[in-house]
Amino acid sequence: MAFDFNIFLIACLTSLYFILPAYFSNGGALAFGGGTPVDFGKCDKNGVRWIGDGVTWRGIIAGTIIGIITGAVQGYLAPLILAEIGQYIITPIITDVNSGIIIGFMLGFGALLGDALGSFLKRRLGIGRGKPAPILDQLDFLIVALIMVAPFVHLNLLFIVIAIVLTLAIHLIANGGAYLLGLKDVWY
């Protein structure tokens, strides 16, 4: 079977489109976060914060709502998308508003849960807030989001690989660009 670049491109675009609720939820939590941290400032017996100030209740609520809204919009647009490229889709797809709301919630909340778990793991490993943890920093939100949505859609291996590679590339490009523009102090 020969490599078909058009099929590969459609697979990449539909994979990216499907995981948008996780991306938007993650960004929304950052943009609208702040306030009370999820761990309420609690520390373990060694004085290390459980999660840290970066994961807040306001961020989780706002990010989850953004994920739900994103999924609902995708569900609303689904008939148009399916009519245009339905025969080429080899990744999960949101088919209507109801499934969009459910999938948007699972991806959105899953992404934020993944970030919180990633922060928890970093603290246990002695990695401070804002310090790099390669791969964990880039994929914690995606992996948990995919685990959360898996009971509702079939996630094939090609989709998972594409989602991971796209997420790593987008993370590197976005953070590198923000660093070059002076919006971030570090490139990661």
Side-chain angles (χ1 to χ4, degrees):
M1 183 171 168
F3 178 77
D4 187 333
F5 183 75
N6 289 333
I7 298 285
F8 178 73
L9 182 61
I10 290 171
C12 288
L13 291 174
T14 56
S15 295
L16 179 63
Y17 183 74
F18 180 79
I19 57 177
L20 280 180
Y23 286 168
F24 288 174
S25 177
N26 208 19
L30 179 62
F32 298 107
T36 306
V38 170
D39 67 4
F40 296 104
K42 302 288 183 191
C43 299
D44 66 14
K45 64 182 177 188
N46 298 320
V48 177
R49 287 286 297 276
W50 283 104
I51 296 176
D53 290 334
V55 181
T56 66
W57 287 107
R58 187 168 61 204
I60 286 183
I61 292 167
T64 300
I65 291 169
I66 290 168
I68 292 168
I69 292 169
T70 304
V73 169
Q74 289 176 311
Y76 179 78
L77 297 174
L80 173 67
I81 292 167
L82 290 171
E84 287 294 317
I85 61 169
Q87 69 272 21
Y88 300 109
I89 294 176
I90 58 173
T91 61
I93 190 74
I94 296 170
T95 56
D96 57 34
V97 173
N98 290 333
S99 69
I101 290 170
I102 293 167
I103 291 171
F105 172 77
M106 291 299 169
L107 287 171
F109 181 71
L112 301 173
L113 181 60
D115 269 348
L117 288 172
S119 181
F120 176 82
L121 287 173
K122 285 175 73 170
R123 299 302 169 270
R124 305 294 69 76
L125 295 170
I127 302 169
R129 181 174 180 206
K131 300 297 182 202
I135 304 300
L136 178 62
D137 285 336
Q138 293 80 24
L139 296 180
D140 56 0
F141 82 98
L142 178 67
I143 299 301
V144 176
L146 294 178
I147 290 169
M148 294 274 299
V149 80
F152 300 94
V153 296
H154 172 69
L155 301 175
N156 63 47
L157 184 59
L158 178 60
F159 166 77
I160 294 169
V161 169
I162 290 171
I164 288 171
V165 170
L166 284 175
T167 299
L168 289 170
I170 290 168
H171 190 274
L172 180 62
I173 292 167
N175 287 325
Y179 173 74
L180 292 174
L181 293 172
L183 301 173
K184 286 188 71 173
D185 295 330
V186 293
W187 63 270
Y188 51 86

